[in-house]
């Protein structure tokens, strides 16, 4: 179960960074929310993957 969670974490992080990179003219609150939300979800999934061993 750890491998799918790690892949999900990396995919979530890539999506958040990709969204911020492709929408530089978006509202700063939206960009901040997407980046912080993506980072939070990615860290949560990564932490779950390492603690589920």
């Amino acid at each position: 179960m750890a491998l799918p969670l790690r892949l999900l974490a990396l995919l979530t992080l890539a999506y958040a960074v990709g969204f911020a990179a492709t929408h530089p003219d978006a509202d700063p609150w939206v960009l901040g929310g997407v980046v912080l939300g993506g980072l939070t979800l990615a860290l949560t999934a990564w932490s779950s993957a390492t603690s589920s061993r």
Side-chain angles (χ1 to χ4, degrees):
M1 188 67 172
L3 182 63
L5 283 173
R6 285 187 179 172
L7 290 175
L8 179 65
L10 292 175
L11 189 64
T12 302
L13 188 60
Y15 179 82
V17 170
F19 181 86
T22 57
H23 296 85
D25 56 342
D27 183 26
W29 287 104
V30 172
L31 288 178
V34 169
V35 170
L36 286 177
L39 184 61
T40 301
L41 288 173
L43 288 174
T44 301
W46 193 271
S47 175
S48 296
T50 57
S51 66
S52 67
R53 289 186 197 179

